[in-house]
Amino acid sequence: MAAEFISPYICHWPHSIPGQLMCLTDLEFDYMNPYDSASRINMVILPEYFVQALLCLTFLITGHWFFFLLSLPYLYYNITLYLQRRHLVDVTEIYNQLNREKQRRLFKLGFLVILLVLCIFWFLWTIGEAFE
């Protein structure tokens, strides 16, 4: 019953950056029109920023200073894009910005993969110390 009230934006967040990359690649190879691609990408941008801010806040509250400081520049970058109104993909300029947008998403994906690997390593390290 509670699943009916979950926003579709949050349900698709784990696949947001790879999904954005797939939309941009489909647009590049002419499998998708610019309007559909831009609307799919723009639909998940703000929830992605919100979840990243929530993750950064969670690191701060729980006292994981290394992870907080590691994720702070990414949060600052997202806030800067939002305040400068450059966070959404423009339908009319999407072909001109295609390579830059793909590169931006690849850097985000790489950062999130590194953060995930470090979090898993830290988690396993902490469990290993608890059993010693």
Side-chain angles (χ1 to χ4, degrees):
M1 191 119 190
E4 296 171 6
F5 299 110
I6 296 175
S7 172
Y9 303 119
I10 302 301
C11 290
H12 295 291
W13 182 78
H15 307 290
S16 119
I17 295 176
Q20 292 173 31
L21 280 170
M22 286 190 309
C23 282
L24 291 171
T25 304
D26 286 349
L27 182 67
E28 183 179 17
F29 292 114
D30 229 8
Y31 295 137
M32 185 181 293
N33 66 30
Y35 178 77
D36 288 339
S37 182
S39 65
R40 287 182 185 182
I41 291 171
N42 289 339
M43 182 177 67
V44 294
I45 296 267
L46 287 179
E48 173 192 335
Y49 287 4
F50 175 73
V51 171
Q52 175 61 29
L54 190 65
L55 180 68
C56 194
L57 182 67
T58 304
F59 286 147
L60 177 65
I61 290 172
T62 58
H64 292 94
W65 302 110
F66 175 73
F67 293 114
F68 169 69
L69 292 174
L70 188 65
S71 63
L72 196 60
Y74 182 52
L75 179 65
Y76 174 75
Y77 177 72
N78 287 342
I79 291 172
T80 304
L81 282 179
Y82 181 76
L83 292 177
Q84 293 176 354
R85 301 251 184 230
R86 293 187 306 140
H87 62 288
L88 296 178
V89 176
D90 186 17
V91 177
T92 59
E93 292 291 321
I94 196 166
Y95 282 114
N96 296 335
Q97 301 171 350
L98 192 59
N99 287 332
R100 188 182 67 193
E101 293 292 332
K102 281 175 50 179
Q103 188 177 26
R104 182 183 295 172
R105 266 84 178 167
L106 281 173
F107 282 130
K108 284 183 177 185
L109 184 63
F111 171 77
L112 290 176
V113 166
I114 290 171
L115 186 66
L116 177 69
V117 168
L118 287 174
C119 285
I120 290 173
F121 176 76
W122 187 263
F123 177 70
L124 293 175
W125 182 276
T126 307
I127 288 176
E129 284 183 348
F131 286 118
E132 287 182 0

